[in-house]
Amino acid sequence: KYMQISLVTLQHIQMGVFIRERYSSRLTKVETCTVACGLGGVWGNKGGVGVSFKIDGVNTFSFVAAHLAARASRKRDLARNRDFHKIMKNINIASNNKNGNDLYSSTDHLFFLGDLNYRVTYGSPGSEDEFIKVKQKVKERKFEELISKDQLRGHIENKRAFVNFQEGDIQVSVF
């Protein structure tokens, strides 16, 4: 049986965290926070919500769910990275702001998830030609090539966003 330990909401961005009831006595220091990144940097249609807690008073787990800037353009791609950095800097969970720490250094296990809106791009994000090219690659089942053009992976490799995060292997099922 599970119990809810937190439900945090920023407009339509919402995250619930549940734990098995038998572990509830081991849980302490539940913290939540929201960071808005939408219109004017204050509207909550884009941004993130966070939850952290300690287990056995030792290990800190932090979860951040985000909805980053949408649309396929270079400007919006940069906005996604800017939103990510704003969330990581301002999300006040895991006691990260008490000693001037960032979230990376104040948690043992950090999970970042959500509608990140990164795209597959061949250098002309949002163009009709690029859309046609991507569709053709899907039709040809050239999934490895598409994965190599993933914006998020490029930003991680070039240390522009999500530095020190690890993404699992992308497995494409053929249906």
Side-chain angles (χ1 to χ4, degrees), residues 65-128:
H67 188 195
L68 303 183
R71 308 223 196 314
S73 71
R74 281 185 173 80
K75 179 180 177 183
R76 302 305 288 169
D77 185 34
L78 295 174
R80 284 186 274 284
N81 290 346
R82 189 173 54 248
D83 289 354
F84 165 76
H85 289 292
K86 179 179 180 181
I87 292 166
M88 290 300 291
K89 179 180 179 186
N90 295 300
I91 198 105
N92 189 11
I93 57 175
S95 302
N96 62 314
N97 286 335
K98 290 190 176 157
N99 297 319
N101 293 330
D102 61 13
L103 189 54
Y104 289 116
S105 60
S106 55
T107 191
D108 299 303
H109 307 281
L110 174 58
F111 301 87
F112 199 105
L113 53 126
D115 185 357
L116 306 183
N117 273 315
Y118 287 98
R119 312 286 203 237
V120 170
T121 184
Y122 282 86
S124 302
S127 73
E128 184 66 24

Side-chain angles (χ1 to χ4, degrees), residues 20-35:
R20 288 184 187 253
E21 279 187 355
R22 68 177 177 232
Y23 299 123
S24 64
S25 64
R26 298 172 58 191
L27 209 72
T28 58
K29 208 156 172 78
V30 176
E31 298 178 53
T32 65
C33 188
T34 63
V35 177

Side-chain angles (χ1 to χ4, degrees), residues 50 86 146 155:
K86 179 179 180 181
L146 289 166
H155 291 306

